[in-house]
Amino acid sequence: MTFFNENPVTAADKTFYQLRKDIVEGDITAGAKLSETELSTKHAVSRAVVREAINRLESCHLVERKANVGARVVALTPEGLIELYQVRESLEGMAARLAATNMTEHEIAELQLLLDSHSDKVKTSANYYQEAGDVDFHYRIILGSKNNHLISMLLEGTYHLVRMYRVQLGMAGERVSTAFDEHKHIVQAITNRDPELAEMLMRRHILYSKNNIEQKLLKPNNDT
Amino acid sequence: MTFFNENPVTAADKTFYQLRKDIVEGDITAGAKLSETELSTKHAVSRAVVREAINRLESCHLVERKANVGARVVALTPEGLIELYQVRESLEGMAARLAATNMTEHEIAELQLLLDSHSDKVKTSANYYQEAGDVDFHYRIILGSKNNHLISMLLEGTYHLVRMYRVQLGMAGERVSTAFDEHKHIVQAITNRDPELAEMLMRRHILYSKNNIEQKLLKPNNDT
DNA sequence: AAGGCTCAGATTGTCGACAAAGTGAGTGTA
DNA sequence: TACACTCACTTTGTCGACAATCTGAGCCTT
């Protein structure tokens, strides 16, 4: 999974990417305090570098910072996840709308190919899809919007948070076959250059995911 | 015009707010280079403080930074403005939708009052409205969504950029009376607790503004 | 015992200096 | 003249130390 413009050139970059990875994947536990001195010794860099990294994490809404007190990793709450999906619905819906007009024929053809390759895998190893394929699909449509603000908001902000929730609340490999069908219809709308339908289908797609997650969160004691 | 959580407690805060103001209002010209040493002497703080301020400006998409080269104020392009309005349409549409369910009766009543007070002013001094009233109106609906991600995205990011375009391309006091009617209808939909209509009306409202701006940008030589 | 105060310890905020990388004028060569 | 290289200068990146602020344990007062 390769993300938007990730070539660490400076020490602050590397520290930022490393910390982000640790937070998203739960190696740094949610709600934990980020001590600047501690992190600077651990990563063998100066405190200034760590401070810059933490500032960037704050911009991504992955940590919260209070003046003269310090930074904490954000807490994972059901409400936070719902809020995130509402933002996704709005932004990715617009992305799909724009993609329907702005994607090149070549890009659409490649999107079709991606879907075809998933078509096989979804039958064999179901959990593969949700993990990487789903991200890849949404990723391409976001880029296809050609709207730089939209792209950076989603790829530098929202998406890492969504992944943090997914990884740490352990919600992978769900709703696979239906989600795949929804993807197919979205691509169809984009192929037909139908912006309004593409947006509506994308919004429905994300809304369904949200409802699915909401259900799980409201009755979490079904696996005992 | 009071914005979201603006109490400068640290030197970096003050420098950030000052620089943001200077950039948005054009005192630091668009595309200009931000020299760390120069700014540190001018604002009488250390370079570390200026660096933190610039990093935060980058998070707001007000400046762009290249490693080992420096930071420049973003350029103002017609395309950039269009992109911004597309994002606004999407996010503020969702904000209106959420506000229709999440605003309290009291908040709605105050919104009505705000509109009534504008009703007078729009007849007397037309340019007042666009300047502060419009911002205030959208501001309240954004807060009314009660979605913290949405709120911070719009209030810390998008809105300052929009204002930068407005101030520097000088597009105030336009489309006032029609915009006012649109505001009225949006409030009506929220009062009726009709999320879908509220979203649709808000999107239309922003779309009309976008089209209006687009027209002006495409034929800018109508005032000679 | 409950509540407020003091002060030492720890943490963050700020600073100036050094290291590393980029920039551009000037020179030399074809 | 056009092009490429050199090298000094400027700017950014990183560092360790000092100043300002917060935290919490212990003590005092009521």
Side-chain angles (χ1 to χ4, degrees), chain B residues 55-203:
Chain B
N55 276 329
R56 286 203 234 169
L57 291 172
E58 191 189 15
S59 307
C60 303
H61 299 268
L62 284 169
V63 312
E64 283 168 352
R65 166 166 241 167
K66 278 183 201 159
N68 291 312
V69 174
R72 309 194 80 88
V73 179
V74 294
L76 297 179
T77 67
E79 296 79 20
L81 186 54
I82 302 303
E83 289 188 3
L84 224 45
Y85 268 74
Q86 287 168 342
V87 171
R88 271 192 71 192
E89 180 186 331
S90 150
L91 286 178
E92 290 204 43
M94 178 57 79
R97 169 184 286 263
L98 296 174
T101 39
N102 295 337
M103 279 181 92
T104 65
E105 296 291 337
H106 180 64
E107 285 169 339
I108 295 177
E110 284 197 325
L111 190 57
Q112 291 266 18
L113 253 56
L114 179 75
L115 222 56
D116 292 341
S117 86
H118 287 331
S119 172
D120 307 332
K121 288 174 185 164
V122 72
K123 291 164 191 162
T124 56
S125 69
N127 53 358
Y128 167 82
Y129 188 62
Q130 188 78 346
E131 203 58 44
D134 182 69
V135 171
D136 198 8
F137 175 80
H138 286 267
Y139 184 69
R140 294 202 188 192
I141 289 181
I142 290 165
L143 289 182
S145 75
K146 310 288 172 73
N147 182 316
N148 290 112
H149 284 286
L150 206 53
I151 292 170
S152 72
M153 272 181 165
L154 283 167
L155 262 43
E156 296 171 7
T158 310
Y159 252 63
H160 295 283
L161 265 170
V162 170
R163 207 165 95 81
M164 180 176 175
Y165 274 100
R166 272 200 194 163
V167 170
Q168 298 199 28
L169 299 189
M171 32 193 50
E174 267 322 301
R175 232 176 60 77
V176 170
S177 61
T178 56
F180 178 74
D181 284 339
E182 289 161 21
H183 285 191
K184 268 205 315 195
H185 291 125
I186 292 168
V187 172
Q188 190 60 51
I190 291 176
T191 304
N192 294 341
R193 302 295 190 184
D194 188 336
E196 303 204 356
L197 183 60
E199 173 168 17
M200 174 176 283
L201 291 175
M202 178 62 88
R203 288 187 64 158

Side-chain angles (χ1 to χ4, degrees), chain A residues 33 47 51 68-69:
Chain A
K33 185 168 179 350
R47 257 188 61 222
R51 276 179 68 83
N68 290 311
V69 174

Side-chain angles (χ1 to χ4, degrees), chain B residues 205-222:
Chain B
H205 172 56
I206 293 170
L207 189 61
Y208 290 156
S209 295
K210 196 196 79 173
N211 291 341
N212 185 52
I213 287 164
E214 236 169 338
Q215 253 182 341
K216 277 210 239 170
L217 288 177
L218 291 182
K219 41 177 180 177
N221 43 352
N222 52 359

Side-chain angles (χ1 to χ4, degrees), chain A:
Chain A
M1 180 170 42
T2 164
F3 265 116
F4 189 58
N5 203 17
E6 305 228 337
N7 6 3
V9 2
T10 173
D13 287 337
K14 290 178 204 153
T15 311
F16 166 64
Y17 291 131
Q18 183 62 49
L19 282 178
R20 188 176 63 182
K21 181 169 176 291
D22 290 346
I23 290 173
V24 167
E25 300 184 357
D27 296 335
I28 298 177
T29 172
K33 185 168 179 350
L34 293 180
S35 164
E36 294 181 0
T37 54
E38 185 183 329
L39 290 173
S40 71
T41 58
K42 181 180 174 187
H43 291 262
V45 291
S46 85
R47 257 188 61 222
V49 170
V50 173
R51 276 179 68 83
E52 179 172 337
I54 291 180
N55 276 330
R56 286 204 235 169
L57 290 172
E58 190 190 14
S59 310
C60 303
H61 300 269
L62 284 170
V63 312
E64 284 168 352
R65 166 169 240 167
K66 279 181 201 158
N68 290 311
V69 174
R72 309 194 80 88
V73 178
V74 295
L76 297 179
T77 66
E79 296 79 21
L81 186 54
I82 302 302
E83 288 188 4
L84 223 45
Y85 268 74
Q86 287 169 343
V87 171
R88 272 193 70 194
E89 180 185 331
S90 148
L91 286 179
E92 291 202 44
M94 179 58 79
R97 168 184 286 263
L98 296 174
T101 36
N102 294 338
M103 279 181 89
T104 66
E105 297 290 337
H106 181 65
E107 286 169 337
I108 295 178
E110 284 196 325
L111 190 58
Q112 291 265 18
L113 253 55
L114 179 75
L115 222 55
D116 293 342
S117 86
H118 289 330
S119 173
D120 308 330
K121 288 173 184 163
V122 73
K123 291 164 190 162
T124 57
S125 69
N127 53 359
Y128 165 82
Y129 187 61
Q130 189 78 348
E131 204 57 44
D134 181 69
V135 172
D136 199 7
F137 175 79
H138 286 267
Y139 184 68
R140 294 204 189 189
I141 289 181
I142 291 166
L143 289 183
S145 75
K146 309 287 173 74
N147 182 316
N148 290 113
H149 285 286
L150 206 53
I151 291 170
S152 72
M153 273 183 164
L154 284 167
L155 262 42
E156 295 171 7
T158 310
Y159 252 64
H160 294 284
L161 264 170
V162 170
R163 207 165 95 82
M164 181 176 173
Y165 274 101
R166 271 198 193 164
V167 170
Q168 297 198 29
L169 298 188
M171 34 192 50
E174 268 323 301
R175 232 176 59 78
V176 171
S177 61
T178 56
F180 178 72
D181 283 340
E182 288 161 21
H183 285 193
K184 268 205 314 196
H185 290 126
I186 292 169
V187 172
Q188 190 60 50
I190 291 176
T191 304
N192 292 342
R193 302 294 190 184
D194 187 337
E196 303 204 356
L197 184 59
E199 173 168 18
M200 173 176 283
L201 291 175
M202 179 62 89
R203 288 186 65 155
R204 286 273 166 91
H205 173 55
I206 293 171
L207 189 61
Y208 291 156
S209 296
K210 195 195 80 173
N211 291 340
N212 185 52
I213 288 164
E214 236 169 339
Q215 253 182 340
K216 277 210 238 171
L217 289 176
L218 291 181
K219 43 178 180 178
N221 43 352
N222 53 359
D223 56 346
T224 55

Side-chain angles (χ1 to χ4, degrees), chain B residues 33-34 36 47 51 65 67-69:
Chain B
K33 184 165 177 355
L34 293 180
E36 294 181 0
R47 257 187 62 221
R51 275 179 69 82
R65 166 166 241 167
N68 291 312
V69 174

